[in-house]
Amino acid sequence: MSDNKAAPSIPRDKENDHTQTMAEQRQAFVKQYTQSELNHVGHYSLSPEQTAGNIENFIGVAQVPIGLAGPVKVNGEHAKGATSMFLWRQPKAPWSPVITEVCAYLAQQVA
């Protein structure tokens, strides 16, 4: 059923949309219309201006678990005994420890 109400518009600034102020206005918009707290989204080390041209309606960032595997010693035609470490992102946080352990094990087997 429709109540014939216009859908709310996401806050925008046609002149300068990639600012801290606009990000905060959109966070408040999300809170108002979803009753969701964005406790971590608003804490970030980049400048909203850096997202211009890549992110529309910037509101913040999400934490993504990352894992580390290695060291792996590489013996090849051009890499004689070079050691590498591998970082990767794992969006499914509950699986992250398992994937980290498997990748670390495989790295040891390859070395």
Side-chain angles (χ1 to χ4, degrees):
M1 253 190 208
S2 173
D3 57 9
N4 294 329
K5 281 184 165 179
S9 296
I10 296 170
R12 300 274 325 222
D13 182 335
K14 291 180 183 181
E15 300 298 319
N16 192 6
D17 200 44
H18 292 83
T19 64
Q20 181 66 32
T21 300
M22 290 310 303
E24 290 170 355
Q25 286 182 20
R26 287 189 280 267
Q27 291 168 13
F29 174 83
V30 170
K31 183 177 179 179
Q32 179 182 355
Y33 287 99
T34 67
Q35 289 75 49
S36 297
E37 295 286 337
L38 301 177
N39 296 325
H40 302 288
V41 170
H43 302 283
Y44 42 86
S45 59
L46 60 88
S47 167
E49 290 82 9
Q50 292 175 285
T51 67
N54 294 310
I55 304 293
E56 292 186 31
N57 302 320
F58 176 78
I59 63 168
V61 300
Q63 295 182 36
V64 177
I66 58 172
L68 177 66
V72 174
K73 189 176 279 192
V74 179
N75 287 310
E77 183 178 343
H78 300 286
K80 302 280 188 213
T83 302
S84 296
M85 299 291 274
F86 300 96
L87 286 174
W88 71 91
R89 61 179 179 234
Q90 175 55 35
K92 297 185 186 296
W95 292 2
S96 186
V98 173
I99 291 176
T100 300
E101 194 62 36
V102 168
C103 289
Y105 172 79
L106 292 173
Q108 290 173 356
Q109 300 305 309
V110 171

